[in-house]
Amino acid sequence: MRLEEAGLVYKTTTEIKGPLLFVEGVRDVAYDEVVRITTPSGEEVLGTVLDVSRDWAMIQVFGETSGMDLNVGVRFTGEALRIPVSDELIGRVFSGSFRPLDGMPRPLSTDMRDVHGGVINPAARDVPSEFIQTGISAIDGMNSLVRGQKLPIFSESGLPHNQLAAQIARQATIPGKEEEFAIVFAAMGIKNEEAEFFREEFEKTGALNKAVMILNLADDPPIERIVTPRIAQTIAEYLAFDLDMHVLTIMTDMTNYAEALRSISIAREEIPTRKGYPGYLYSDLATIYERAGRIVGKKGSVTLMPILTMPGGDITHPVPDLTGYITEGQIILQRELALRGIYPPINVLPSLSRLMKDGIGEKTTRKDHADVSNQLYMAYAEGTRARGLVRIVGLVGLSERERTWLEFADQFEKRFVNQGPYENRTIEQTLNIAWDLLALLPEEDLIRVREAYIKEFHPRYRRAE
Amino acid sequence: MSLRGTIERINGSLVVARFEAEPRIGDLVEVGKLGLMGEIVRLSGEEAFIQCYEATSGLKPGEPVIDTGKPLVAELGPGIMGTILDGVERSETKLWELTGPFITRGARILPLDRSKRWGFEPTVKQGDKVTGGDILGTVQETESFQHRILLPPGVEGTIEQISRGSFTVEEPIGTLKTATGPVELRLMHTWPVRRPRPFKERLPLSIPLVTGQRVIDTFFPVAKGGTASIPGGFGTGKTVMLQQISKWADADVIILIGCGERGNEMADVVAHFPELTDPRSGRRLIERTVIVANVSNMPVSAREASIYLGITLGEYYRDMGYDVAVMADSTSRWAEALRDISGRLEEIPAESGYPAYLSDRIAEIYERAGRVVTLGSGQRVGSLTLLGAVSPPGGDFSEPVTTHTLRYVGTFWALDQELAFRRHFPAINWLRSFSKYLEVASQWWSKYERNWDQVRAVALGLLEEAAEIEETARIIGEKALPDEQRLILLVAEMLREGFLVQSAFHEVDKFCEPEKQAALLKIIVDFYSLAEPLIRHGIPIEKVRELDIVPELMRLKEREGIKPIEEARIEMKRQIERLAKEYEVAPR
Ligand SMILES: Nc1ncnc2c1ncn2[C@@H]1O[C@H](COP(=O)(O)OP(=O)(O)OP(=O)(O)O)[C@@H](O)[C@H]1O
Ligand SMILES: [Mg+2]
């Protein structure tokens, strides 16, 4: 962050309330400008202007306010929150508010970018359509990811979302093109060991020297989390749209971000909507998520994978709910599957990739891909329904057909969803496993697959060849 | 008349200003040194509260504000068709050219191109008496879209002069002698977006909007000039459905409002519509479509305005005598924008933080739909059909936007997460949805199927019965059910897979012509009436299920035209008869 040396220091703070500071007698202050606050101990903390009138300003403080008193020095910098960008950011580690954590000097550049970014003009967007092979069947086969998509992982604490994200980061490729992703990793309020896990993972695969890490950990100031994902996306945009790189941004945990936003809202005494979250949570999240994508005429792309833990496993909780309303699908992890030893414990039924249709098919994956996926969904839904029935009427109460569905569901979880954390399946392998499973069902029940594809890909006919 | 003032306070999108004299509510203002667009939403004592349509960062108290003295208006005239606009009618394509791929603030773009010339062909002549709403002439705006130039509402007089030729939207095309003096006629006029455009008379709704989507046309139709709401949790298929309707509905003009939703979805429309053609007219779809794209990360207040802009454009085309369909995706984001502004104004909230006037605003919006006799002489008829997506938090339909919307719409397409999970799309729940336009539809459908009412009722009845039987099956298992009930489950499955499920991405099935819809429904219902006696006579359900015709009936939708259905009908009878013979049962 540029240090603005000049400027008046105000000592006219009249109130400190949670993360908010109220300063009187100020002049010439702009909405949203950056503020530097010097605490009694001489430490400097960042803030921004949230509300400003002719002679007072309300400031949100990105550091701890506990320990501050009304004598803090408040200096308005006259600038929006900006960071210097250059290719030297690659390989670096920063704090959640962009202090270097790797012992190296502060990055310098004449190119300063507003962390809020701009809005990509919808007319200038290029529709993401390049299939990314993650090597994970439940994703590639049924919830395919494409370059420039925003696809979150909805999880619960204790589930292997970090392993999954790391596996995706490790394995993601465009079949036929051996380009790697640059990774921008933003941590918000996660434990040190989790951050360490990612660092080691990136190190092992050599991804670290193509990664930028922005870390706000559990013991770092919560309000700082407001800027962390924005810094990450600013860097990602720069790498993608200025340096032509393909970027994968991983953000975890968005629930902690939203809680930081909520605490500011509560301190401002805004009218809460659900669970105390402000009514603008949707729009606020959108300003982070919508920065992913592709732009016409630009080579690079920003693919976004936010991770969030659903409090109480509740998908209707505002954070997963509003995220799902903004992102282009979601990958949902389920405790029940994890307990049964399935890795990755992806529950495909509520999972979705909206951009899948543009990325798959004859030219990129295989022509039967969409139909196979649809059929798997339907069959697995029937299977889980039969499973519910078994609990009530027992296996003997099932019809022949229901038993087949049930068997399918079991096999589907064991052979299709389940795989090793280092197992990297090609899309061809994934689809072939799918067909082996579909072959468990009577052919006339494969109603979602075109007849021609059955003739071409069903193991029964393939063997006959 | 423009008033000057200064900024007193900035709180997010809300700017408080003081003016040298009293401004008016609804006036458009230019805020700060950048001249950001805003609108006065409240006056209190000396203070005017402005909702700003562009991001306010960097604004300072003390900066100037100018009240333009005019409300937020839409510019209406040739040059809108086929474009992509933001919530305040700026062309996003032009913004892109002007400021690059990221939207920058304070960009001034007039909605209509001032330099482009249009060929104008008058249809009135000197000495004609004309009144507001009359067509003065036409402009061939695109290859297939004829723009009818209207005399603005509220004006009347005698044509003093009018010329054919090539004009910009601002150049006079003629003059009108009015009681208050001569008035210059132009290709464009403006209209305040929040004020409904007047018409002569509302007409009863009498024609369904044919969308080519079976569950809609056959089960829950919407009338031309009617209203429909499509609520559902994330990923249940609102956007895809509204896009399907935009593509295939038999409307003359489509206005697609992306209100606070994804940028990529808008890009998708921009990318794909030009490649598609209307199956009836062969016209390129983009030539009848206007996109209003105020996506989720664009300023909230412009999102609020975008719905009004879209509807105003729709009314303008309606007034030309066209059938217009306006899609708003999503009205929840509009309502949230309303809530946001209301919160910043510190108004007293009602349910879930929404202002108490939410219900009235929703009603006002849906009131702007209708089939009308337009202003002007003659009996020109136009319609505006309004379809709104609702995005209830947590997918819970008991929240305020869904419940209030439900009170004002004629058709309700309730999306169902369970159906979406099993990729049953469109995930419209047939038990919770309704349409108040059935009578309208019934008459219209009778030309394809004499007993349409009855066939539809039988099919819906079977689906309802199946839902009840499934309840029982959940407790005792399907196997324990009597075969008569298992047959109903089978037919319900055939109706679901063979009729209700319709993939938007299937090359044939994405659009289903009415004739085929009727034939498909009929053949499945007929299958039931043929199979039912067999079951009654003790033929086991397994035997019926094993018939080859069963999967075939579920695949007919994928086959082009209705010939395969006719062939299947013969085959169906043959197989049923054979089965009956096997068990020595005389078929009906
Ligand atoms: N008619 C359909 N045919 C095939 N697939 C469909 C259909 N409708 C929906 N889908 C599938 O469901 C996905 C989600 O649909 P859509 O984007 O319309 O949901 P939505 O209700 O608008 O969600 P949100 O509220 O988050 O915007 C689509 O990407 C597509 O994969
Ligand atoms: Mg949608």
Side-chain angles (χ1 to χ4, degrees), chain B residues 2-46:
Chain B
S2 69
L3 273 181
R4 303 192 152 270
T6 45
I7 298 180
E8 293 295 316
R9 177 180 172 191
I10 306 118
N11 170 7
S13 61
L14 185 75
V15 173
V16 183
R18 272 170 203 263
F19 285 93
E20 51 193 15
E22 181 110 334
R24 260 183 326 201
I25 289 247
D27 276 2
L28 205 61
V29 289
E30 291 166 11
V31 181
K33 291 180 187 146
L34 284 172
L36 308 179
M37 270 179 97
E39 185 181 347
I40 298 179
V41 288
R42 182 167 149 196
L43 294 172
S44 167
E46 305 261 275

Coordinates of all heavy atoms in Angstrom, one line a residue, chain B residues 2-46:
Chain B
S2 N -32.3 24.2 -14.4 CA -31.4 23.3 -13.6 C -31.0 24.0 -12.3 O -30.7 25.2 -12.3 CB -30.2 22.8 -14.4 OG -29.4 23.9 -14.6
L3 N -31.0 23.2 -11.2 CA -30.7 23.8 -9.9 C -29.4 23.3 -9.5 O -29.0 22.2 -9.7 CB -31.7 23.2 -8.9 CG -33.1 23.8 -8.7 CD1 -33.8 23.0 -7.7 CD2 -32.9 25.2 -8.2
R4 N -28.7 24.2 -8.8 CA -27.4 23.8 -8.3 C -27.5 23.5 -6.8 O -28.2 24.1 -6.0 CB -26.4 24.9 -8.5 CG -26.3 25.4 -9.9 CD -25.1 26.3 -10.1 NE -24.7 26.1 -11.5 CZ -23.8 25.2 -11.9 NH1 -23.2 24.4 -11.0 NH2 -23.5 25.0 -13.1
G5 N -26.6 22.6 -6.4 CA -26.5 22.3 -4.9 C -25.2 21.7 -4.6 O -24.3 21.7 -5.5
T6 N -25.0 21.3 -3.3 CA -23.7 20.7 -2.9 C -24.0 19.5 -2.1 O -25.0 19.3 -1.4 CB -22.9 21.7 -2.1 OG1 -23.8 22.3 -1.1 CG2 -22.2 22.7 -2.9
I7 N -23.0 18.6 -2.2 CA -23.1 17.4 -1.4 C -22.9 17.6 0.1 O -21.9 18.4 0.4 CB -22.0 16.3 -1.9 CG1 -22.3 16.0 -3.4 CG2 -22.0 15.1 -1.0 CD1 -21.3 15.0 -3.9
E8 N -23.7 17.1 0.9 CA -23.6 17.2 2.3 C -23.0 15.9 2.9 O -22.3 15.9 3.9 CB -24.9 17.4 3.0 CG -25.5 18.8 2.7 CD -24.7 19.9 3.2 OE1 -24.3 19.8 4.4 OE2 -24.5 20.9 2.5
R9 N -23.4 14.8 2.3 CA -23.1 13.5 3.0 C -23.1 12.4 1.9 O -23.9 12.4 1.0 CB -24.1 13.2 4.1 CG -23.9 11.8 4.7 CD -24.9 11.6 5.8 NE -24.8 10.3 6.3 CZ -25.7 9.7 7.1 NH1 -26.8 10.4 7.5 NH2 -25.6 8.5 7.5
I10 N -22.2 11.4 2.1 CA -22.2 10.2 1.2 C -22.2 9.0 2.1 O -21.3 8.8 2.9 CB -20.9 10.2 0.3 CG1 -20.8 11.5 -0.5 CG2 -21.0 9.0 -0.7 CD1 -19.5 12.2 -0.1
N11 N -23.2 8.1 1.8 CA -23.3 6.9 2.5 C -23.6 5.8 1.5 O -24.8 5.6 1.1 CB -24.4 7.0 3.6 CG -24.8 5.7 4.2 OD1 -24.1 4.7 4.0 ND2 -25.8 5.7 5.0
G12 N -22.6 5.2 1.0 CA -22.8 4.1 0.0 C -23.4 4.8 -1.3 O -23.0 5.8 -1.7
S13 N -24.5 4.2 -1.8 CA -25.1 4.7 -3.0 C -26.0 5.9 -2.7 O -26.5 6.6 -3.6 CB -25.9 3.7 -3.7 OG -27.0 3.2 -2.8
L14 N -26.1 6.3 -1.4 CA -27.0 7.4 -1.1 C -26.2 8.6 -0.9 O -25.2 8.7 -0.1 CB -27.8 7.1 0.2 CG -28.8 8.2 0.6 CD1 -30.0 8.1 -0.2 CD2 -29.1 8.0 2.1
V15 N -26.6 9.7 -1.5 CA -25.9 11.0 -1.4 C -26.9 12.0 -0.9 O -28.0 12.1 -1.4 CB -25.3 11.4 -2.8 CG1 -24.7 12.8 -2.7 CG2 -24.2 10.5 -3.2
V16 N -26.6 12.8 0.1 CA -27.5 13.8 0.6 C -26.9 15.1 0.1 O -25.7 15.4 0.2 CB -27.5 13.8 2.1 CG1 -28.5 14.8 2.6 CG2 -27.9 12.4 2.6
A17 N -27.8 16.0 -0.4 CA -27.4 17.3 -0.9 C -28.3 18.4 -0.5 O -29.5 18.1 -0.1 CB -27.3 17.2 -2.5
R18 N -27.8 19.6 -0.6 CA -28.7 20.8 -0.4 C -28.7 21.6 -1.6 O -27.7 21.7 -2.3 CB -28.1 21.7 0.7 CG -28.5 21.3 2.1 CD -27.7 22.1 3.1 NE -27.7 21.4 4.4 CZ -28.5 21.7 5.4 NH1 -29.4 22.7 5.2 NH2 -28.5 21.0 6.5
F19 N -29.9 22.1 -2.0 CA -30.0 22.8 -3.2 C -30.3 24.3 -2.9 O -30.9 24.6 -1.9 CB -31.1 22.2 -4.1 CG -30.6 20.9 -4.8 CD1 -30.8 19.7 -4.2 CD2 -29.9 21.0 -6.0 CE1 -30.4 18.5 -4.8 CE2 -29.5 19.8 -6.6 CZ -29.7 18.6 -6.0
E20 N -30.0 25.2 -3.9 CA -30.3 26.6 -3.7 C -31.8 26.8 -3.6 O -32.3 27.7 -3.0 CB -29.7 27.4 -4.8 CG -30.0 26.8 -6.1 CD -29.2 27.4 -7.3 OE1 -28.2 28.0 -7.1 OE2 -29.6 27.2 -8.4
A21 N -32.6 26.0 -4.3 CA -34.1 26.1 -4.2 C -34.6 24.7 -4.1 O -33.8 23.7 -4.2 CB -34.6 26.8 -5.4
E22 N -35.9 24.5 -3.9 CA -36.5 23.2 -3.6 C -36.5 22.4 -4.9 O -37.1 22.7 -5.9 CB -37.9 23.4 -3.2 CG -38.6 22.1 -2.9 CD -38.8 21.9 -1.4 OE1 -38.1 22.4 -0.6 OE2 -39.8 21.1 -1.1
P23 N -35.8 21.2 -4.9 CA -35.8 20.4 -6.1 C -37.1 19.5 -6.0 O -37.9 19.6 -5.1 CB -34.6 19.5 -6.0 CG -34.3 19.5 -4.5 CD -35.0 20.7 -3.9
R24 N -37.2 18.6 -7.1 CA -38.4 17.8 -7.1 C -38.0 16.3 -6.9 O -37.0 15.9 -7.5 CB -39.1 17.9 -8.4 CG -40.3 18.8 -8.4 CD -41.0 18.8 -9.8 NE -39.9 18.7 -10.8 CZ -40.2 19.1 -12.1 NH1 -41.3 19.6 -12.4 NH2 -39.2 18.9 -13.0
I25 N -38.9 15.6 -6.3 CA -38.7 14.1 -6.2 C -38.7 13.5 -7.6 O -39.5 13.9 -8.4 CB -39.8 13.5 -5.4 CG1 -39.7 13.8 -3.9 CG2 -39.8 12.0 -5.6 CD1 -39.3 12.7 -3.0
G26 N -37.8 12.6 -7.8 CA -37.8 12.0 -9.1 C -36.9 12.7 -10.1 O -36.7 12.2 -11.2
D27 N -36.4 13.9 -9.8 CA -35.5 14.6 -10.7 C -34.2 13.8 -10.9 O -33.6 13.3 -9.9 CB -35.2 16.0 -10.2 CG -36.3 16.9 -10.7 OD1 -37.3 16.4 -11.3 OD2 -36.2 18.1 -10.3
L28 N -33.7 13.9 -12.1 CA -32.4 13.3 -12.4 C -31.3 14.3 -12.0 O -31.5 15.5 -12.3 CB -32.3 13.0 -13.9 CG -31.4 11.9 -14.3 CD1 -31.8 10.6 -13.7 CD2 -31.4 11.8 -15.8
V29 N -30.2 13.9 -11.3 CA -29.2 14.8 -10.9 C -27.8 14.3 -11.4 O -27.6 13.2 -11.6 CB -29.2 15.0 -9.4 CG1 -30.4 15.8 -8.9 CG2 -29.1 13.7 -8.7
E30 N -26.9 15.3 -11.5 CA -25.5 14.9 -11.8 C -24.8 15.2 -10.5 O -24.8 16.3 -10.0 CB -25.0 15.8 -13.0 CG -25.7 15.4 -14.3 CD -25.4 16.4 -15.4 OE1 -24.6 17.4 -15.2 OE2 -26.1 16.3 -16.4
V31 N -24.1 14.2 -10.1 CA -23.5 14.2 -8.7 C -22.0 14.3 -8.8 O -21.3 13.6 -9.5 CB -23.9 13.0 -7.9 CG1 -23.3 13.0 -6.5 CG2 -25.4 12.8 -7.9
G32 N -21.4 15.4 -8.1 CA -20.0 15.5 -8.0 C -19.3 15.9 -9.2 O -19.9 16.2 -10.2
K33 N -18.0 16.0 -9.1 CA -17.2 16.5 -10.2 C -17.3 15.6 -11.4 O -17.1 16.0 -12.5 CB -15.7 16.7 -9.8 CG -15.5 17.8 -8.8 CD -14.1 17.9 -8.4 CE -13.9 18.9 -7.2 NZ -12.9 18.5 -6.3
L34 N -17.4 14.3 -11.1 CA -17.5 13.3 -12.2 C -18.9 13.4 -12.9 O -19.0 12.8 -14.0 CB -17.3 11.9 -11.7 CG -15.9 11.5 -11.4 CD1 -15.8 10.2 -10.7 CD2 -15.0 11.5 -12.7
G35 N -19.8 14.0 -12.3 CA -21.2 14.1 -12.9 C -21.8 12.8 -12.9 O -22.4 12.4 -13.9
L36 N -21.8 12.0 -11.8 CA -22.4 10.7 -11.8 C -23.9 10.9 -11.8 O -24.5 11.9 -11.4 CB -22.0 10.0 -10.5 CG -20.5 9.9 -10.2 CD1 -20.3 9.2 -8.8 CD2 -19.8 9.2 -11.3
M37 N -24.6 9.9 -12.4 CA -26.0 10.0 -12.5 C -26.7 9.6 -11.2 O -26.3 8.6 -10.6 CB -26.5 9.0 -13.6 CG -26.6 9.6 -15.0 SD -27.2 8.3 -16.1 CE -28.9 8.6 -16.1
G38 N -27.7 10.3 -10.9 CA -28.5 10.0 -9.7 C -29.9 10.5 -9.8 O -30.3 11.2 -10.8
E39 N -30.7 10.1 -8.8 CA -32.1 10.5 -8.9 C -32.6 10.9 -7.5 O -32.2 10.2 -6.5 CB -32.9 9.2 -9.3 CG -34.4 9.5 -9.5 CD -35.1 8.2 -10.0 OE1 -34.5 7.2 -10.4 OE2 -36.4 8.2 -9.9
I40 N -33.3 11.9 -7.4 CA -33.8 12.3 -6.0 C -34.9 11.5 -5.6 O -35.9 11.3 -6.2 CB -34.2 13.8 -6.1 CG1 -33.0 14.7 -6.4 CG2 -34.8 14.2 -4.7 CD1 -33.3 16.2 -6.5
V41 N -34.7 10.8 -4.4 CA -35.7 9.8 -4.0 C -36.5 10.3 -2.7 O -37.5 9.8 -2.4 CB -35.1 8.5 -3.7 CG1 -34.8 7.8 -5.0 CG2 -34.0 8.5 -2.7
R42 N -36.0 11.4 -2.1 CA -36.7 11.8 -0.9 C -36.2 13.3 -0.6 O -35.1 13.7 -0.8 CB -36.3 10.9 0.3 CG -37.0 11.3 1.5 CD -36.9 10.2 2.5 NE -36.9 10.8 3.9 CZ -36.5 10.1 4.9 NH1 -36.0 8.9 4.8 NH2 -36.5 10.6 6.1
L43 N -37.2 14.0 -0.1 CA -36.9 15.4 0.3 C -37.2 15.5 1.8 O -38.3 15.0 2.2 CB -37.7 16.4 -0.4 CG -37.4 16.5 -1.9 CD1 -38.4 17.4 -2.6 CD2 -36.0 17.0 -2.2
S44 N -36.4 16.1 2.6 CA -36.6 16.2 4.0 C -36.0 17.6 4.4 O -34.8 17.7 4.5 CB -36.0 15.0 4.7 OG -36.0 15.3 6.1
G45 N -36.9 18.5 4.8 CA -36.4 19.8 5.1 C -35.6 20.4 4.0 O -36.0 20.4 2.8
E46 N -34.4 20.8 4.3 CA -33.5 21.4 3.3 C -32.8 20.3 2.5 O -32.1 20.6 1.5 CB -32.4 22.2 4.0 CG -33.0 23.2 4.9 CD -33.0 24.6 4.3 OE1 -31.9 25.3 4.3 OE2 -34.0 25.0 3.7

